[in-house]
Amino acid sequence: QVQLVESGGGLVQPGGSLRLACVASGRVPNNYAVNWYRQAPGNERELVATYTYTGTTNYADSVKDRFTVSRDYLKRTTYLQMNMLKPEDTATYYCNLQPRWSPEDYWGQGTQVTVSS
């Protein structure tokens, strides 16, 4: 079993920044991707960013040039740096770990991000 814990959410004004963290523990595989998703009330869950198996990163068009995903392998932590936040970024953010060589995946409990003046 893999456990994921997100942290770093909070209330910020438009234009502000937050850094989310996703810490993995338990039986963490050697090769995996981490996705960041978000979901706002009434909206579909949206894939925001991915740190791939090969170490590349992908971003949704809505957050490109504002968000950055990175990983600290030693700490088993994946970060989502969010800059120039907008009210439409308000959502619960979840990390998702996808092992390369097994079909199951893992989810954290989510962390709330609210962007409001």
Side-chain angles (χ1 to χ4, degrees):
Q1 179 75 11
V2 176
Q3 295 83 43
L4 301 175
V5 178
E6 301 101 330
S7 62
L11 173 64
V12 297
Q13 293 186 336
S17 297
L18 287 172
R19 188 177 74 160
L20 308 184
C22 173
V23 180
S25 61
R27 298 177 63 184
V28 182
N30 291 327
N31 197 345
Y32 60 93
V34 171
N35 304 300
W36 284 96
Y37 288 86
R38 68 186 182 188
Q39 188 167 26
N43 290 354
E44 295 293 322
R45 186 172 58 192
E46 176 187 17
L47 178 62
V48 174
T50 298
Y51 196 103
T52 73
Y53 307 119
T54 60
T56 60
T57 57
N58 301 312
Y59 301 93
D61 288 341
S62 58
V63 306
K64 197 169 299 181
D65 300 322
R66 298 189 297 119
F67 291 11
T68 303
V69 64
S70 61
R71 184 181 294 179
D72 185 323
Y73 289 93
L74 185 61
K75 294 182 178 180
R76 295 180 173 179
T77 302
T78 304
Y79 301 95
L80 184 67
Q81 178 67 45
M82 306 185 295
N83 299 323
M84 297 179 288
L85 284 161
K86 304 175 180 180
E88 51 262 46
D89 296 318
T90 295
T92 302
Y93 285 71
Y94 301 89
C95 64
N96 164 253
L97 187 149
Q98 296 180 305
R100 185 171 185 179
W101 305 114
S102 62
E104 65 271 12
D105 60 1
Y106 305 92
W107 292 85
Q109 84 290 344
T111 186
Q112 178 67 36
V113 172
T114 302
V115 185
S116 176
S117 60

